[in-house]
Amino acid sequence: MIDELMSNPDPKARIGKHFLFDIQTIPDYRGKIGVLESNKTVPFEIKRTYYLYDVPSEAERGAHAHKRLEQVIIALSGSFKIIIDDGKNTYSYNLRSPSVGLYMGPHLWRDIKDFSSNSVALVLASMHYSEDDYIRSYDDFRTVF
Ligand code: TYD
């Protein structure tokens, strides 16, 4: 899927796309290294990284979509659930391994919940932070379809 995205120059091909992928891992007797590289194993140039931590188990995050932002989300520690709505269907992903990434293209409504204690969610993002890129009303999100 990543190769497919990288070989397609049309940004519209990324709208509503989401999939899990295995992160390149270098193991030896000392432990493991997980590696992610812009425009190679991550299908965009990484402009920003941020992480969610100290999230109470009852907290619900997300509840928005993005107009242009692409992201990869990784459960570096612990686990959480992401529910994705592409305007037609909903999909639920349980992220619980630091060796798996979830790619999310633009125009996906996401809810993130069920954070385990000490969970850390790392997010790689294709754009600097911009509130203008957010769609925070579900009704507005739905009007696109
Ligand atoms: P938001 O993206 O809504 O959080 P989540 O999807 O994790 O629930 O962001 C929450 C607040 O943090 C919001 O006021 C915007 C701000 N924020 C930044 O200033 N910079 C950032 O890079 C991010 C991700 C959020």
Side-chain angles (χ1 to χ4, degrees):
M1 281 299 263
I2 286 177
D3 290 346
E4 212 176 293
L5 285 187
M6 297 283 288
S7 62
N8 191 339
D10 183 1
K12 288 203 187 87
R14 295 168 181 241
I15 289 173
K17 285 269 183 343
H18 52 96
F19 52 84
L20 295 172
F21 65 96
D22 291 329
I23 293 171
Q24 181 194 358
T25 303
I26 303 164
D28 68 25
Y29 68 93
R30 299 166 298 173
K32 293 174 178 158
I33 306 176
V35 185
L36 292 143
E37 294 181 282
S38 287
N39 295 319
K40 206 170 165 191
T41 51
V42 172
F44 52 80
E45 189 181 335
I46 301 162
K47 291 271 182 63
R48 174 169 54 117
T49 64
Y50 62 92
Y51 43 94
L52 308 176
Y53 65 106
D54 274 354
V55 182
S57 58
E58 68 280 7
E60 302 206 351
R61 304 204 57 116
H64 62 257
H66 287 280
K67 297 172 191 166
R68 288 169 48 225
L69 188 73
E70 297 170 74
Q71 291 166 304
V72 166
I73 303 189
I74 304 153
L76 279 194
S77 175
S79 62
F80 50 88
K81 183 183 279 187
I82 304 192
I83 295 136
I84 287 178
D85 181 337
D86 67 1
K88 296 189 189 88
N89 297 299
T90 59
Y91 307 82
S92 180
Y93 292 102
N94 288 303
L95 290 189
R96 52 174 173 261
S97 166
S99 68
V100 172
L102 173 65
Y103 168 82
M104 292 197 297
H107 276 282
L108 291 169
W109 189 266
R110 83 286 313 269
D111 293 298
I112 314 174
K113 60 185 189 178
D114 296 347
F115 288 85
S116 69
S117 59
N118 293 320
S119 58
V120 180
L122 177 70
V123 184
L124 313 178
S126 65
M127 292 165 55
H128 294 156
Y129 172 72
S130 163
E131 189 58 35
D132 284 351
D133 188 68
Y134 280 75
I135 305 167
R136 292 201 184 268
S137 147
Y138 188 72
D139 287 346
D140 291 350
F141 170 70
R142 291 291 311 183
T143 59
V144 176
F145 301 97

